[in-house]
């Protein structure tokens, strides 16, 4: 922009990120051009185009590509893994490469003991696993994701722990 004012260039294109009154992030593709007419001092013309939807679509495409890559990597792993522990460990390593994923763990439920056993993990667990697997949090049953596994004896997958209201108290405790 300064280069246009200083007459070094006639035009420039920039992508601008703004925050609306509602704290919504908006993206604009802006073309700045120096314009002069009738011997008057030059002025700067700005033509802006809202590209927020395009940016959102690009993020979604990136997310879907990551998912595709993860599925592809896990499919390859299924063929080459030598045993269950290696398979689960490598799955965690693949999943942690996803941008938004900070922690992954896989546990197996011993139905007779009604207890989870750690099979593999990757990322920062903030001592969560120690509490869950050692039973230190059993008094807070039904407040942890792992308790749902024990209660329903089915796998639990949480895609976005920040948006899961039923884990609000637990989530605040581990932060």
């Amino acid at each position: 922009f300064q280069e246009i004012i200083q007459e070094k260039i006639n035009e420039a294109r920039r992508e601008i990120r703004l925050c609306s009154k509602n704290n919504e992030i908006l993206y604009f593709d802006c073309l700045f051009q120096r314009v002069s007419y009738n011997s008057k001092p030059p002025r700067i013309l700005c033509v802006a185009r809202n590209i927020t939807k395009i940016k959102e679509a690009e993020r979604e495409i990136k997310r879907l590509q990551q998912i595709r890559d993860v599925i592809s990597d896990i499919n390859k792993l299924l063929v080459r893994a030598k045993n269950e522990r290696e398979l689960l460990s490598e799955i965690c390593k693949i999943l942690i490469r996803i941008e938004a994923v900070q922690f992954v763990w896989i546990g197996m439920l011993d139905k007779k003991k009604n207890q989870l056993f750690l099979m593999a993990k990757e990322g920062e667990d903030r001592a969560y696993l120690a509490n869950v697997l050692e039973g230190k949090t059993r008094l807070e049953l039904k407040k942890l994701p792992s308790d749902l596994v024990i209660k329903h004896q089915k796998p639990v997958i949480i895609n976005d722990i920040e948006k899961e209201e039923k884990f609000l108290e637990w989530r605040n405790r581990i932060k």
Side-chain angles (χ1 to χ4, degrees):
F1 192 72
Q2 281 295 66
E3 293 171 323
I4 296 172
I5 293 170
Q6 296 168 358
E7 299 185 12
K8 291 180 182 176
I9 60 174
N10 286 325
E11 69 178 41
R13 176 172 240 121
R14 300 285 184 269
E15 192 173 283
I16 296 176
R17 182 176 173 241
L18 301 172
C19 186
S20 73
K21 291 177 188 175
N22 304 334
N23 288 330
E24 182 183 1
I25 302 297
L26 302 171
Y27 294 90
F28 291 90
D29 178 29
C30 299
L31 175 65
F32 299 95
Q33 192 168 30
R34 191 175 65 248
V35 179
S36 45
Y37 58 97
N38 295 339
S39 303
K40 293 184 179 181
R43 309 218 183 225
I44 304 233
L45 171 69
C46 174
V47 178
R49 177 174 68 115
N50 187 336
I51 58 169
T52 305
K53 296 276 186 217
I54 293 169
K55 286 295 199 183
E56 289 168 358
E58 287 172 353
R59 276 194 302 275
E60 180 64 6
I61 288 168
K62 183 178 179 182
R63 187 186 73 80
L64 292 172
Q65 286 171 334
Q66 281 185 329
I67 291 170
R68 181 202 60 209
D69 292 346
V70 163
I71 290 170
S72 173
D73 290 348
I74 290 174
N75 281 336
K76 291 174 193 170
L77 179 62
L78 288 170
V79 174
R80 74 172 203 277
K82 295 178 181 119
N83 57 54
E84 182 182 47
R85 193 156 296 271
E86 177 188 348
L87 174 69
L88 298 177
S89 176
E90 291 299 315
I91 287 173
C92 286
K93 288 176 184 173
I94 290 169
L95 292 172
I96 206 72
R97 291 191 321 231
I98 298 173
E99 236 175 75
V101 175
Q102 297 170 359
F103 177 60
V104 175
W105 73 284
I106 298 172
M108 294 291 180
L109 177 64
D110 180 332
K111 292 181 182 180
K112 291 178 186 172
K113 294 181 181 179
N114 232 19
Q115 187 177 359
L116 287 172
F117 290 95
L118 178 66
M119 298 297 288
K121 73 172 187 153
E122 199 69 35
E124 183 183 343
D125 75 356
R126 299 185 185 128
Y128 166 72
L129 281 180
N131 289 329
V132 170
L133 298 175
E134 292 173 17
K136 292 178 184 172
T137 56
R138 295 283 55 99
L139 296 175
E140 299 169 17
L141 213 58
K142 298 181 182 121
K143 293 183 180 174
L144 299 170
S146 54
D147 295 321
L148 292 177
V149 172
I150 293 169
K151 181 180 177 186
H152 299 294
Q153 299 196 353
K154 289 193 237 175
V156 172
I157 298 169
I158 302 167
N159 290 318
D160 190 344
I161 199 73
E162 294 295 324
K163 292 181 180 171
E164 289 283 342
E165 285 299 318
K166 60 186 166 190
F167 301 126
L168 180 64
E169 182 183 329
W170 166 77
R171 188 175 60 238
N172 290 336
R173 197 176 67 236
I174 64 165
K175 282 188 177 182

